[in-house]
Amino acid sequence: MAAKNNIRSIRFSDELAELIDRQVGDTFTQKFENLITRCVWELPQKEKQLASIQADIRREQERLYNLRRATEQLRLLEQDLERAKRDFELVARRARAIGEAAEQEGQGV
């Protein structure tokens, strides 16, 4: 174990004392050192992980937006096709009616 030549006296809140006490270690000093060490070594890694996760979330949000937009476009296309189908059926009925009228006219009815 390294020599501990640095003796300091600090004051901190009860909340911080509880945080230190929750750390791994047998003594207050070990717990405090473990907390500081974790913050120095683990925090940058966790921040990188967080940035990566946030980037993943942004990509997924963009993908979701694109899927929603595509779904809306498909829904509009479906509505257009339904309108076209109804219009075609109307044209077909009119054409039959004209054809029947012409047929009756041709038969002299």
Side-chain angles (χ1 to χ4, degrees), residues 11-64:
R11 294 174 189 236
F12 45 83
S13 67
D14 291 341
E15 182 181 8
L16 184 55
E18 289 177 30
L19 288 173
I20 294 168
D21 195 47
R22 287 189 221 156
Q23 303 307 307
V24 175
D26 296 327
T27 65
F28 178 84
T29 301
Q30 285 178 350
K31 291 177 181 189
F32 184 74
E33 287 174 350
N34 288 337
L35 175 62
I36 299 303
T37 303
R38 287 185 64 205
C39 288
V40 168
W41 297 112
E42 291 180 20
L43 187 58
Q45 178 186 354
K46 296 298 181 186
E47 288 173 337
K48 286 179 185 176
Q49 284 179 322
L50 176 60
S52 175
I53 290 169
Q54 288 172 330
D56 290 346
I57 289 171
R58 280 191 299 277
R59 280 191 298 275
E60 289 301 314
Q61 285 173 331
E62 184 176 334
R63 191 170 78 85
L64 178 60

Side-chain angles (χ1 to χ4, degrees), residues 79-91 93:
Q79 290 173 359
D80 290 345
L81 288 171
E82 284 297 322
R83 269 193 295 277
K85 179 181 171 186
R86 285 192 302 269
D87 291 346
F88 181 75
E89 289 171 352
L90 177 62
V91 168
R93 282 196 301 269

